[in-house]
Amino acid sequence: MKPFIAIAIVLALVLLTRPISAQVTLERLYVIECGERTAPDVSPWTPGVNVGRPVDFSDTCYLIKHGNDWMIWDTGLADAVFTAPPTDPNAWKRKNSLAGELEKLGVKPSDIKYVAVSHTHGDHIGNVELFPQSLLLVQKAEYDWPQQDGKPRFLPSHPVKRLEGDYDVFGDGSVTIIATPGHTPGPQSLLVKLPQTGAVLLSGDAVHLRDNWDAKRVPAINVDKEKTAASMRRMSEVMALNNAQLWINHDKPQSLTMKRPPEYYR
Ligand SMILES: [Zn+2]
């Protein structure tokens, strides 16, 4: 065998048998605190029970690194809430800013390739325009849903991919948007398959509290209650299929157990 042929064969073998870790993969997931609120009565979220009982909500953003690409899932309360806190004791507040949290991690807004939001309530889209160049990943039904005053929910100039159902973000099955309609016209959840932690389903607002999930209780705030119930069943199926944990965006007790930046989940 001529030496160059032998070298070519060895090279081909090295390339073919390269371990997975040398390829571009999902590397890390940061769980960032993006707001908090105490509501005086939890019962709108737990119809039929806990009337008059106050509740603490968290509000969470997630930062994902896949190879050299960064993605944000939900952008939380607007950073302006941190700079100019509201006086209403029941209003959402921020202890930090998303811009500040990213800066501490050395991540620039222009580094974010994808900004995906579970839905368009203000506690999830507050900082979308911190990332004017990032491709917005949102369900078409949500994008097309006008605000009460008839205005669009996003700046028409913002680059966008309007989804109609599930979507494999990086094309390798590691991060998948799962359509979970009902709370609003086009909510979505996110299935993240971390190499060490395993699969995690980020809830969006199909469910707000662990207790609701366990009791399969649909909150009063819905555009379509039946669709929310069906979305919760779909989430259960996705979780069973992938042996996934459920991380609930607004569940404060769970949120308090989470690793915070600079720590992250692998
Ligand atoms: Zn919501």
Side-chain angles (χ1 to χ4, degrees):
M1 193 186 292
K2 293 210 164 79
F4 73 88
I5 295 178
I7 289 166
I9 289 171
V10 168
L11 252 178
L13 277 173
V14 165
L15 285 173
L16 283 172
T17 57
R18 202 163 42 150
I20 289 286
S21 59
Q23 294 169 4
V24 174
T25 52
L26 178 58
E27 278 183 23
R28 52 179 94 166
L29 169 64
Y30 293 93
V31 180
I32 301 175
E33 196 173 359
C34 268
E36 60 181 349
R37 179 190 172 199
T38 300
D41 180 5
V42 72
S43 63
W45 291 273
T46 59
V49 293
N50 302 330
V51 177
R53 214 186 75 186
V55 62
D56 290 332
F57 286 120
S58 53
D59 191 40
T60 315
C61 302
Y62 305 85
L63 175 67
I64 292 164
K65 185 166 191 273
H66 181 282
N68 290 322
D69 293 331
W70 291 92
M71 168 180 180
I72 285 259
W73 172 256
D74 276 341
T75 67
L77 261 289
D79 281 355
V81 174
F82 171 64
T83 2
T87 47
D88 177 355
N90 296 323
W92 283 105
K93 296 180 183 68
R94 287 199 69 123
K95 279 195 280 205
N96 58 14
S97 69
L98 181 56
E101 293 302 290
L102 292 177
E103 196 180 338
K104 278 190 235 163
L105 293 171
V107 177
K108 295 190 293 293
S110 59
D111 293 336
I112 306 291
K113 185 171 184 181
Y114 301 116
V115 55
V117 291
S118 61
H119 65 298
T120 54
H121 284 154
D123 48 326
H124 298 261
I125 60 163
N127 295 301
V128 165
E129 287 314 318
L130 187 59
F131 315 100
Q133 300 147 354
S134 313
L135 184 66
L136 181 60
L137 300 175
V138 64
Q139 295 292 318
K140 183 176 183 300
E142 192 78 4
Y143 190 89
D144 292 345
W145 184 38
Q147 296 193 59
Q148 279 181 340
D149 59 7
K151 288 188 185 146
R153 289 182 185 254
F154 298 100
L155 287 184
S157 57
H158 200 120
V160 62
K161 187 170 181 70
R162 278 164 276 201
L163 309 174
E164 294 182 71
D166 298 354
Y167 181 66
D168 180 353
V169 178
F170 296 100
D172 61 359
S174 62
V175 178
T176 310
I177 288 174
I178 309 285
T180 48
H183 176 63
T184 56
Q188 42 191 19
S189 304
L190 193 70
L191 178 66
V192 184
K193 294 182 186 170
L194 287 157
Q196 286 178 23
T197 308
V200 173
L201 185 65
L202 306 181
S203 64
D205 278 9
V207 58
H208 298 68
L209 303 162
R210 181 78 221 181
D211 187 39
N212 276 4
W213 175 257
D214 292 341
K216 294 291 173 279
R217 207 180 281 127
V218 176
I221 309 114
N222 283 286
V223 295
D224 190 324
K225 189 178 174 197
E226 286 314 309
K227 279 190 181 171
T228 300
S231 289
M232 288 169 84
R233 290 195 292 274
R234 170 99 205 278
M235 289 164 73
S236 288
E237 286 164 17
V238 167
M239 286 165 61
L241 206 61
N242 295 282
N243 196 20
Q245 308 172 46
L246 179 63
W247 289 1
I248 302 175
N249 189 310
H250 290 306
D251 189 285
K252 184 84 177 249
Q254 186 184 41
S255 165
L256 291 173
T257 69
M258 292 276 155
K259 286 182 195 175
R260 295 296 183 188
E263 281 192 272
Y264 55 85
Y265 292 88
R266 297 172 198 272

